Amino acid sequence: MVFWSLRTSVVALACVSGTFAANIQSPLVILPLDAPVHRQNVKNIFLTSWDAYKQYAYPHDDLTPISESWTDGRNGWSASLVDALTTLAIMGETEIFEEAVNHTATVDFTIDHSNSTASVFESTIRYVGGMLSAYELTNKKYPVLVKQAQTLADKLSAAWSLGNVVPYGEVDVNTSTPAIATSNIAEAGTLTLEWSRLAEYTGNDTYRALAENSVRTIIAEPDPIPGFPAQGIDPATNQPVGAYVTWGGGSDSYLEYLIKYARLTNTNDNIFADTWATAVDSSIRTLLRKSTVGNWTYLADLDDSGTIRHIGSHLACFMAGNWIMGGQLLNNQTIVNHGLDLNEGCWNTYASTATGIGPEAFGYFSTDGNYTGSTPSEGDISFYDQHGFFILDGSEYYYMRPEVLESNFYAWRHTGNVKYYERAISAYKSFQTYLKTPTVAFAPINNVNQLDSGFIDDMESFWFAEVLKYLYLTFDDPNHISLDKFVFNTEAHPYIAPPAKASYGSGKLRGPASTPFKPLSGNLPLVSAAAKLPVKEPN
């Protein structure tokens, strides 16, 4: 286990002049002449998917493209439709957008329609976040979107109804009661962007206070490594559950929102930016590794025993774009450079497979060890010797996740290097080839390293909200939804940001908590589990 050191901070030493600060995008990004073709191709993928959703799944949550039916995995509140609002607005699909708004206005967010609890986190980032962002993107033309967001948030606020400061992760909206269970910091700490913006539009600051106080409470608790909480947390006590440290699922968006909240609010309270900087500094010291083959940069996990676990995940690959953004806001070229290096490692997981699409999770070997929690097969080792990583057993699938393309978008907008633009072309062409089903729309696949692995019968809403939005914007005018004027929530819904400050944070790292780290034992919820639905084998 690595604890707080009195050595000079890696982060603090890397600061440069203030002229570097706050601007994330390069003013020198030149959009290639063929961009309109690729932009239209991505829009066509979106519209094909949308038409299939409307035909077979409307007004339910998700399309099941193989069985040509639907699922209601997000409480039956039309997840794909609501989550797609901002992409429709950005793509200029006004007629479809207005139809979707008209339906959104009729959704009853006070009743669960699927006989399940509602995830506070998922409902916030997809529904509340999507509606408020769509309201902004259309110049506040549709106030019903704020009204509906508030109706849902009022139901979700039951997560704090037992006097707890850290919210419970699930709520029974029919009875307005929380499901008593342990949670994780991503669920409890990824509400600030949406709930603070809701507070602004409703004039009720309670929404902001609930979300922000949860983050402040997490920050105040002792950490396994400085600035970086354990993945698990018990809302009943505020205490950490276990000692697992990761940039992957269960922790990811808590870290993401620390710096994004500082940027969106321009708060003069440096606790958010300084905690993010401390977590990054600890990650550079403790988790940052290079593979022995290919010299790929990755961030390992630190497990409950304090052992480095040499693994990465598609979910964790958001951190490359987050470090590019945060490094710019902190005037810190070292963090930006690490972000660009991490992006290279993540893209390598796409470039190395038969389909050109990256898997769910992967393992590495480094000079200081190769423990991944499992034993690599001979085939895994052979793959590693060629590519510098191997696909973890059971994680061969692609679940239509956006994170690698998200970071590729940040790298493109920051550098203007055409290789990132070309990678986006490669990705969507792979989607056209390998995710297109024999009949309708697109679907996840079981194995990215097989050309005929079969499909997973589920097209989640983030296909509309994230994957196709990041691709479309990569081929769009850099001044449209500029990273210097908007802050994206973790579901890729952009919020209008105030003009950036000269810099963010105090330039100092946070010290250790006043009490020693002492985790509780307990069961954590499944993290971003991709339930595999019935598979239709290729003809």
Side-chain angles (χ1 to χ4, degrees):
M1 191 77 73
V2 178
F3 297 98
W4 182 255
S5 171
L6 293 178
R7 294 176 300 166
T8 304
S9 158
V10 173
V11 167
L13 279 179
C15 293
V16 295
S17 71
T19 58
F20 178 76
N23 293 320
I24 299 165
Q25 290 197 178
S26 168
L28 304 178
V29 177
I30 300 174
L31 204 61
L33 294 177
D34 62 355
V37 173
H38 300 301
R39 192 164 61 244
Q40 185 62 49
N41 288 343
V42 172
K43 182 186 282 194
N44 290 343
I45 294 173
F46 180 98
L47 293 174
T48 297
S49 302
W50 180 262
D51 289 345
Y53 167 74
K54 285 294 297 291
Q55 181 174 356
Y56 298 105
Y58 178 90
H60 297 281
D61 287 342
D62 293 331
L63 169 71
T64 52
I66 307 304
S67 56
E68 298 179 358
S69 187
W70 52 268
T71 61
D72 272 337
R74 297 293 166 206
N75 306 97
W77 294 326
S78 304
S80 288
L81 184 145
V82 178
D83 223 3
L85 286 172
T86 57
T87 308
L88 286 166
I90 286 170
M91 288 182 172
E93 292 293 328
T94 304
E95 183 177 344
I96 300 175
F97 176 86
E98 289 183 344
E99 291 175 358
V101 169
N102 289 337
H103 173 76
T104 300
T106 70
V107 174
D108 188 350
F109 287 108
T110 68
I111 299 172
D112 165 64
H113 304 283
S114 61
N115 195 31
S116 62
T117 56
S119 165
V120 177
F121 163 70
E122 296 286 1
S123 300
T124 292
I125 66 171
R126 302 189 196 212
Y127 291 119
V128 176
M131 289 187 283
L132 294 177
S133 175
Y135 174 67
E136 291 191 356
L137 290 174
T138 53
N139 199 28
K140 303 180 181 179
K141 182 179 178 181
Y142 304 94
V144 69
L145 295 172
V146 175
K147 180 182 177 182
Q148 287 288 69
Q150 183 176 20
T151 296
L152 177 53
D154 286 346
K155 278 292 184 178
L156 298 177
S157 66
W160 287 271
S161 63
L162 300 182
N164 47 303
V165 179
V166 173
Y168 287 98
E170 301 280 332
V171 167
D172 183 332
V173 297
N174 295 331
T175 62
S176 296
T177 56
I180 308 303
T182 52
S183 187
N184 57 57
I185 59 172
E187 290 184 341
T190 310
L191 311 172
T192 50
L193 299 189
E194 300 85 357
W195 287 57
S196 66
R197 196 49 52 110
L198 181 61
E200 179 180 332
Y201 290 135
T202 61
N204 185 347
D205 195 53
T206 300
Y207 299 115
R208 177 206 58 80
L210 286 171
E212 187 179 300
N213 288 341
S214 176
V215 175
R216 290 182 183 276
T217 299
I218 295 170
I219 290 172
E221 288 297 308
D223 306 310
I225 58 177
F228 206 133
Q231 182 186 62
I233 191 166
D234 184 354
T237 63
N238 301 331
Q239 294 187 39
V241 177
Y244 204 92
V245 170
T246 179
W247 280 84
S251 299
D252 44 9
S253 48
Y254 161 80
L255 298 159
E256 175 188 357
Y257 271 34
L258 288 173
I259 192 63
K260 286 186 172 181
Y261 187 60
R263 173 64 186 92
L264 185 64
T265 63
N266 275 351
T267 176
N268 290 322
D269 188 340
N270 290 322
I271 190 170
F272 305 101
D274 286 353
T275 301
W276 184 85
T278 305
V280 168
D281 184 72
S282 294
S283 298
I284 292 170
R285 295 184 183 281
T286 309
L287 307 178
L288 196 70
R289 294 292 187 279
K290 295 276 190 178
S291 63
T292 56
V293 172
N295 203 37
W296 302 110
T297 301
Y298 64 97
L299 291 174
D301 288 359
L302 191 68
D303 70 16
D304 286 333
S305 69
T307 302
I308 286 290
R309 189 169 290 197
H310 297 269
I311 59 175
S313 69
H314 202 295
L315 281 165
C317 279
F318 88 94
M319 71 340 206
N322 191 240
W323 284 34
I324 293 169
M325 173 188 181
Q328 287 290 121
L329 298 182
L330 268 61
N331 298 340
N332 193 299
Q333 188 65 48
T334 295
I335 297 176
V336 174
N337 290 343
H338 282 311
L340 292 169
D341 288 344
L342 289 164
N343 189 63
E344 293 301 301
C346 287
W347 179 254
N348 181 53
T349 68
Y350 273 57
S352 300
T353 68
T355 62
I357 302 171
E360 180 75 358
F362 26 90
Y364 296 96
F365 303 150
S366 187
T367 54
D368 71 329
N370 58 11
Y371 176 69
T372 63
S374 61
T375 302
S377 66
E378 289 185 8
D380 292 335
I381 295 172
S382 176
F383 189 92
Y384 175 83
D385 288 340
Q386 288 183 284
H387 303 293
F389 76 99
F390 65 93
I391 302 171
L392 293 179
D393 186 39
S395 295
E396 300 88 356
Y397 58 91
Y398 173 63
Y399 206 61
M400 306 177 94
R401 295 205 188 278
E403 290 79 14
V404 172
L405 297 175
E406 173 185 355
S407 287
N408 186 72
F409 166 67
Y410 275 82
W412 161 244
R413 286 282 184 92
H414 174 62
T415 67
N417 189 324
V418 73
K419 72 179 180 181
Y420 303 115
Y421 176 91
E422 292 170 347
R423 288 172 180 178
I425 297 171
S426 172
Y428 89 72
K429 287 186 175 180
S430 289
F431 294 162
Q432 288 176 318
T433 302
Y434 300 108
L435 304 188
K436 185 72 176 69
T437 74
T439 53
V440 302
F442 297 79
I445 53 176
N446 282 301
N447 193 322
V448 297
N449 209 35
Q450 294 178 8
L451 300 184
D452 57 353
S453 70
F455 298 100
I456 301 170
D457 194 14
D458 189 25
M459 189 183 77
E460 280 236 35
S461 68
F462 48 70
W463 174 246
F464 291 121
E466 299 188 76
V467 178
L468 298 177
K469 183 186 286 111
Y470 284 126
L471 282 170
Y472 183 87
L473 287 174
T474 302
F475 304 127
D476 202 7
D477 181 350
N479 293 315
H480 186 211
I481 317 296
S482 165
L483 291 173
D484 294 327
K485 296 180 180 179
F486 289 84
V487 174
F488 287 78
N489 88 336
T490 197
E491 191 76 1
H493 298 305
Y495 293 111
I496 298 171
K501 299 195 298 184
S503 63
Y504 290 78
S506 67
K508 299 177 182 178
L509 301 182
R510 296 182 60 247
S514 58
T515 56
F517 176 72
K518 195 174 185 180
L520 301 173
S521 60
N523 295 321
L524 290 174
L526 291 174
V527 173
S528 301
K532 290 202 174 186
L533 299 168
V535 173
K536 179 178 179 181
E537 296 300 331
N539 295 326

